[in-house]
Amino acid sequence: MKIGIEAASFYVPKLYLEIRELAEKRGIEPAKLEKGLGLHKMALADVHEDAATFAAESLYKLIADYDINPAEISRIYLGTESALDAAKPTATFAMQMVEEKLEEKFGKRIFKNCDVVDLTFACVGAIDALQNCIDFCKANPGKKAVVIAADYAKYELASSGEYTQGGGSVALLVSDKPQLLEFENTWGVATESVFDFFKPRRIIEKSAVQNLPENSPEKIEIFTDEPVFDGQYSNQCYQNRIREAYEHYKSQISSEKPYENWRFLIFHLPYAFHGKRVFTELFAIENNLPFDTLDDQKAVAKSEAYLKFINEKIETSQRASSEIGNMYTASIFMALFSALQVSFNENEDLMGKEIGFLAYGSGSKAKVFTAKISENWKEIVEKWRLFEVLKQRQEIDFETYEKLHRKQLKNSVQESNSGFGLDRIEMENPLSYGARFYSFK
Ligand SMILES: CC(C)(COP(=O)([O-])OP(=O)([O-])OC[C@H]1O[C@@H](n2cnc3c(N)ncnc32)[C@H](O)[C@@H]1OP(=O)([O-])[O-])[C@@H](O)C(=O)NCCC(=O)NCCSC(=O)C[C@@](C)(O)CC(=O)[O-]
């Protein structure tokens, strides 16, 4: 049975900061960020936005753009590491927003019998959701599942992670009608528990939190959006896991150099140039090139063969990332959208071509798997207009960016913001303290 993506949509928040401006304000050479890491713009959530509104946006767009009957969706699995609650899944907030928006057309509680849940494993969580939903569709012919990846990447101000911020979401309809692409059945996996990037509970004074029950302990534990991370170590963990997952993938197939058969290599991109920077090792292994010293590594990265390989198989997948930044779980899918959009715009015939996916999530796990482009792929891609949509965003200045980051703004930056938004968080009633209420404008 063929299982794959029947339809796909995305949402990128409408605000952005130019990386050049961030570089100048932080005293970093702009060329390092632009030419070294491939960064140009950083997408930012407005005051009324969070991971739930991002998820709702792409879910609603998926249903509206591809004329999907929501009653036919058996499950909505959300990969996210920006959860809004430690018990109530962020997917339930998104589901409710979309349900209310669709009420007039489809009636109340259209997702009443839909299985909704979050899956978390840093940036690879949505790939786990996807694999799970592929298996679900195989086991239940005719049923459809939606996979959403929704996140915002936020790092401490002036940290080395600051220029790799970003955010947004994608939603994929997975079914036995793979109009966009069809997944093949070999999965390479590699896991090792490490502390390269994580979001621990932080311990703070009780007095720092409003409206806690009187008998709360003096010190309490809270989650924050900003991770603890070790940048260079995280790069190394990524490289190690990808190598191990690729080797595991390879051990299950007969091809000598599988990557040579792939039209694109689609990576999780924490920043645009990451995939091409880490694949040097596997390129060296596959082509028996020395890779022990820094000089060896630089020689591979700068070789004509490697530059040609990047140009042919990776470059177009980087373009959207340069304009958005890290979308955590959604980054790998946005890399796919970017490559497909460029091929669509250039009228390339992709039908039947194989794509290799190299997914990574800190903490850490990598998955390597493949898919084949379907006959009707253009009918799905033609609705995206990805690069036009990215051009329609609003630039903000550095001062506004810092205020947004510090949560010092009460009102949305966009004057006429339309779409899903957070209205309020309950802060008084102890029985509903922290409940979040959303609406569509
Ligand atoms: C991403 C890092 C590590 C970058 O860290 P960094 O120290 O800013 O940069 P770098 O030293 O790694 O690389 C700079 C590049 O710019 C070049 N450069 C220098 N100057 C110039 C110049 N003038 N002109 C042109 N190029 C210049 C320089 O040569 C080098 O390129 P290379 O030669 O090595 O290819 C940092 O921003 C960071 O820590 N970010 C947060 C963590 C992260 O993104 N880690 C990535 C891997 S882990 C991952 O992907 C998982 C994650 C993060 O998404 C989370 C999850 O799973 O949930």
Side-chain angles (χ1 to χ4, degrees):
M1 191 199 298
K2 291 181 173 184
I3 302 290
I5 298 177
E6 182 178 333
S9 65
F10 69 91
Y11 174 73
V12 177
K14 298 190 182 69
L15 303 181
Y16 72 88
L17 179 72
E18 284 287 350
I19 285 293
R20 180 164 278 268
E21 185 164 359
L22 179 70
E24 280 158 10
K25 291 290 188 310
R26 296 282 182 239
I28 304 169
E29 211 183 325
K32 174 187 162 182
L33 305 188
E34 291 174 349
K35 297 202 169 75
L37 301 175
L39 308 170
H40 294 293
K41 294 186 174 76
M42 191 163 90
L44 298 162
D46 204 337
V47 174
H48 61 280
E49 293 187 304
D50 57 27
T53 66
F54 287 176
E57 293 287 356
S58 58
L59 173 60
Y60 178 69
K61 207 163 182 323
L62 182 78
I63 292 170
D65 284 1
Y66 299 95
D67 214 6
I68 294 166
N69 178 358
E72 284 182 7
I73 301 172
S74 297
R75 41 160 68 181
I76 300 171
Y77 274 32
L78 169 69
T80 187
E81 58 167 285
S82 312
L84 299 163
D85 190 293
K88 183 172 159 54
T90 301
T92 60
F93 296 102
M95 178 209 84
Q96 187 183 0
M97 278 182 250
V98 175
E99 210 168 41
E100 286 169 2
K101 173 84 177 108
L102 295 173
E103 200 171 298
E104 207 177 308
K105 190 166 175 196
F106 293 99
K108 276 190 188 304
R109 290 191 57 204
I110 191 71
F111 293 127
K112 187 168 98 184
N113 300 118
C114 188
D115 175 6
V116 174
V117 77
D118 288 3
L119 265 74
T120 297
F121 196 137
C123 294
V124 78
I127 296 294
D128 294 333
L130 173 66
Q131 191 178 11
N132 199 299
C133 288
I134 293 170
D135 291 346
F136 168 79
C137 290
K138 270 186 207 152
N140 299 278
K143 294 214 167 172
K144 295 175 194 286
V146 169
V147 172
I148 309 178
D151 270 309
Y152 53 90
K154 189 171 178 189
Y155 292 85
E156 249 174 78
L157 291 173
S159 72
S160 65
E162 188 181 25
Y163 36 84
T164 60
Q165 297 178 114
S169 72
V170 305
L172 314 169
L173 183 68
V174 179
S175 79
D176 55 10
K177 294 193 179 58
Q179 298 272 72
L180 181 66
L181 51 80
E182 177 196 336
F183 292 105
E184 296 173 303
N185 207 14
T186 308
W187 292 70
V189 184
T191 309
E192 185 183 11
S193 177
V194 295
F195 290 102
D196 62 331
F197 164 110
F198 55 110
K199 296 177 181 166
R201 292 181 190 214
R202 297 187 193 241
I203 298 165
I204 62 165
E205 297 293 330
K206 170 184 175 179
S207 57
V209 182
Q210 282 181 44
N211 300 340
L212 277 180
E214 269 168 27
N215 55 358
S216 302
E218 286 314 304
K219 293 195 188 299
I220 61 159
E221 295 187 5
I222 58 154
F223 287 110
T224 67
D225 295 338
E226 293 156 28
V228 173
F229 69 101
D230 178 343
Q232 295 310 329
Y233 178 53
S234 72
N235 284 343
Q236 195 53 55
C237 293
Y238 184 124
Q239 187 159 18
N240 293 345
R241 289 301 82 69
I242 291 285
R243 184 188 63 251
E244 293 166 0
Y246 181 86
E247 283 165 354
H248 184 226
Y249 169 82
K250 222 175 126 173
S251 69
Q252 301 168 65
I253 55 159
S254 53
S255 170
E256 284 274 296
K257 283 191 202 172
Y259 83 88
E260 284 193 336
N261 303 328
W262 298 343
R263 170 63 192 87
F264 300 117
L265 276 75
I266 301 294
F267 292 87
H268 161 57
L269 294 181
Y271 55 90
F273 289 173
H274 191 73
K276 73 171 183 180
R277 280 177 92 201
V278 293
F279 198 76
T280 45
E281 185 187 29
L282 277 168
F283 190 86
I285 294 172
E286 290 286 49
N287 295 290
N288 299 317
L289 303 169
F291 202 70
D292 296 331
T293 66
L294 208 57
D295 284 346
D296 292 342
Q297 293 163 19
K298 281 194 177 147
V300 174
K302 293 199 167 122
S303 67
E304 210 176 299
Y306 194 65
L307 296 177
K308 183 168 179 283
F309 157 78
I310 293 169
N311 245 350
E312 284 174 9
K313 293 182 189 281
I314 299 182
E315 190 275 320
T316 59
S317 70
Q318 300 170 164
R319 293 189 197 176
S321 176
S322 293
E323 298 293 307
I324 300 169
N326 198 351
M327 301 167 81
Y328 286 159
T329 48
S331 286
I332 185 164
F333 299 109
M334 186 47 79
L336 171 71
F337 286 24
S338 178
L340 294 183
Q341 184 72 65
V342 175
S343 294
F344 175 88
N345 294 353
E346 294 178 355
N347 217 6
E348 181 183 351
D349 182 10
L350 287 180
M351 190 187 122
K353 299 262 168 76
E354 189 177 60
I355 294 182
F357 291 86
L358 300 100
Y360 177 75
S362 283
S364 63
K365 181 166 73 182
K367 287 189 171 175
V368 172
F369 56 100
T370 54
K372 279 218 166 100
I373 306 278
S374 308
E375 189 182 346
N376 297 329
W377 69 278
K378 286 188 175 169
E379 286 170 31
I380 307 305
V381 178
E382 75 182 353
K383 310 232 186 223
W384 295 345
R385 299 169 45 255
L386 173 58
F387 299 105
E388 282 103 305
V389 170
L390 293 178
K391 278 196 193 118
Q392 286 156 11
R393 293 174 297 165
Q394 179 183 336
E395 182 181 351
I396 60 170
D397 59 28
F398 187 75
E399 201 186 321
T400 311
Y401 155 69
E402 281 207 318
K403 284 188 183 149
L404 253 184
H405 193 288
R406 295 193 168 108
K407 295 194 185 292
Q408 289 168 335
L409 297 176
K410 282 214 168 81
N411 299 319
S412 302
V413 177
Q414 295 163 77
E415 276 169 16
S416 57
N417 56 301
S418 63
F420 295 102
L422 177 69
D423 290 332
R424 73 183 180 91
I425 302 176
E426 175 57 48
M427 298 297 272
E428 300 301 331
N429 181 351
L431 292 180
S432 55
Y433 176 85
R436 303 170 78 87
F437 299 95
Y438 297 87
S439 66
F440 185 87
K441 282 196 190 108

